[in-house]
Amino acid sequence: MKRFLSLRTLSLIVIAYMLIAFTWWSVLLYTKNRDAFVAKAEYMKIVMIAKEQVKDNVEFNETEAYQELAKKYKRQEWMIMGEALVFIISLIIGVWLINRGYNKEIESANQQRNFLLSITHELKSPLSSIRLILETFQKRMLQPAQIQQLSKSGLQETDRLNTLVNDLLLAAKIETTYHPASEPIPLTDTLHDLIARLRIKFPEAEFTVHCDPQDIFIQGDRLGITSTLINLLENAVKYSPKPAKISASIKIVQDNTVIEIADQGLGIPDSEKKKVFDKFYRVGSEDTRQTKGTGLGLFIVKEIVKAHQGSIMIMDNKPKGSKFKIVLPESSRFEEELMEI
Ligand code: ADP
């Protein structure tokens, strides 16, 4: 990071020097050109007066030779100004490009650092919990209720680890060989099932579901679409203060399938709305953040939606929170009648 900053300062100093030097040379050239013109004109005038071709300044200014000289001078003046302008514009574009490159480098270095910190935490913490549980089983004679309780936490930690590994594998696959399957998916039923599972997993959260019509089918990758819905719903819970209030809806708008997941949580600032879809990107810094995660979820969601020729956008929910809206094209609709054949 420090290296980037010092490199950046150094290049800015060099660029500033180039700019000042070039401006100075341009001004010098401009004045020298004017001096040369004045001297040439003066010489020409003296010669013409000596040869009695002209009597005074007014007559000299009207001579063809002087007009030609003045025209040439003006041309050179424009040339100097034009070249200075082109150089300054190119320099500004260059500085802007270099600056953008540096910012991208710094951002990606930050993302890598955040990812390493979060992945280490995400992998290590369930592993140490499971280890602790197993050590407790080994060392102590436990009551059946305690065994139940500890086994339940152990299983939850295993699930967490499993989700993380699946996300990592899915993210890697998406970048290389992911082609969505084309199978019929009962979308509304899938959403209802997921919400039923999440009501058990997050008993304090309040979910409302609205589907119109009741049975909507699409054609696509069942695993991918399910993973998309889980990611959005779990994020909605994760980034909301308790009790989280989540609403999910699926409707048909102009033959497109529109899925909306809205929460009343922290919300996402406008400046972050695009970035949260980047791989490993998490809002804020890993040192201060309270929530667990890897920054892979929304990357996976965006890629899966894209692979289904759909689009995803984030809007502000009212009165607060965020709303994720997925639009799947008409081509991905699957008619129910076909499903029953
Ligand atoms: P993760 O949740 O593992 O950090 P995601 O890719 O799912 O990764 O999300 C990226 C970032 O987007 C999150 O770290 C969080 O800052 C922000 N985010 C995602 N969903 C929401 C939401 N519903 N409300 C507020 N912020 C969100």
Side-chain angles (χ1 to χ4, degrees), residues 235-236 238-239 263 266-268 276 281-283 292-299 322 324:
N235 273 355
K238 196 157 84 173
Y239 299 106
D263 61 62
L266 307 176
I268 302 177
V276 290
Y281 190 85
R282 305 194 73 210
V283 177
K292 295 165 190 160
T294 55
L296 277 175
L298 290 183
F299 167 73
S322 357
F324 285 78

Side-chain angles (χ1 to χ4, degrees), residues 232 235 239 263 265-277 281-283 298 313-317 320-324:
L232 294 183
N235 273 355
Y239 299 106
D263 61 62
L266 307 176
I268 302 177
D270 284 345
S271 56
E272 305 278 355
K273 283 193 171 85
K274 258 196 167 156
K275 295 187 195 162
V276 290
F277 291 109
Y281 190 85
R282 305 194 73 210
V283 177
L298 290 183
M313 65 184 106
I314 307 178
M315 291 170 288
D316 290 330
N317 194 23
K320 60 190 170 98
S322 357
K323 189 195 275 186
F324 285 78

Side-chain angles (χ1 to χ4, degrees), residues 41-262:
E42 198 59 29
Y43 173 73
M44 201 183 261
K45 191 168 76 187
I46 291 168
V47 171
M48 282 184 157
I49 289 177
K51 286 185 180 170
E52 293 184 354
Q53 286 167 335
V54 294
K55 276 196 233 89
D56 52 21
N57 253 350
V58 181
E59 265 185 39
F60 171 68
N61 287 351
E62 278 164 9
T63 59
E64 210 172 287
Y66 174 76
Q67 297 282 336
E68 192 55 42
L69 189 69
K71 231 193 248 168
K72 199 173 152 198
Y73 163 67
K74 274 280 161 220
R75 247 198 332 265
Q76 277 168 344
E77 207 177 53
W78 278 114
M79 215 175 79
I80 295 168
M81 285 197 297
E83 291 210 353
L85 208 69
V86 168
F87 181 81
I88 289 171
I89 291 174
S90 328
L91 203 64
I92 290 172
I93 294 176
V95 172
W96 179 73
L97 286 175
I98 291 175
N99 210 36
R100 205 179 59 164
Y102 277 136
N103 286 342
K104 272 200 178 152
E105 285 286 349
I106 290 172
E107 209 170 278
S108 120
N110 271 341
Q111 260 169 259
Q112 293 289 346
R113 178 177 160 275
N114 273 348
F115 172 67
L116 274 179
L117 281 173
S118 64
I119 202 85
T120 314
H121 176 265
E122 289 289 287
L123 282 172
K124 280 186 101 174
S125 90
L127 279 178
S128 36
S129 305
I130 294 167
R131 187 187 171 91
L132 199 72
I133 291 168
L134 291 176
E135 279 173 355
T136 316
F137 280 146
Q138 201 180 37
K139 287 185 194 148
R140 290 177 47 192
M141 290 298 291
L142 298 169
Q143 299 296 322
Q146 289 174 309
I147 294 177
Q148 267 298 321
Q149 179 62 34
L150 282 178
S151 314
K152 194 174 156 201
S153 333
L155 285 173
Q156 274 169 356
E157 294 300 331
T158 320
D159 276 351
R160 213 172 112 191
L161 213 51
N162 195 29
T163 311
L164 174 66
V165 172
N166 280 343
D167 272 0
L168 283 170
L169 290 177
L170 192 54
K173 188 174 164 194
I174 271 172
E175 282 187 310
T176 50
T177 56
Y178 179 68
H179 298 293
S182 184
E183 48 196 333
I185 311 168
L187 193 59
T188 39
D189 283 355
T190 308
L191 180 68
H192 282 295
D193 288 351
L194 288 176
I195 300 250
R197 271 162 50 191
L198 289 174
R199 281 194 172 118
I200 298 168
K201 190 167 171 188
F202 306 106
E204 74 292 341
E206 294 166 22
F207 292 93
T208 49
V209 193
H210 181 78
C211 297
D212 182 25
Q214 285 304 314
D215 289 319
I216 299 174
F217 294 86
I218 59 164
Q219 190 141 326
D221 180 15
R222 189 186 294 252
L223 267 177
I225 293 293
T226 310
S227 162
T228 298
L229 293 175
I230 293 180
N231 264 308
L232 294 183
L233 289 165
E234 292 205 340
N235 273 355
V237 179
K238 196 157 84 173
Y239 299 106
S240 295
K242 284 182 187 168
K245 292 187 172 64
I246 321 292
S247 71
S249 73
I250 305 178
K251 54 193 173 193
I252 302 297
V253 181
Q254 292 170 345
D255 287 329
N256 295 327
T257 309
V258 179
I259 307 170
E260 285 183 351
I261 312 283

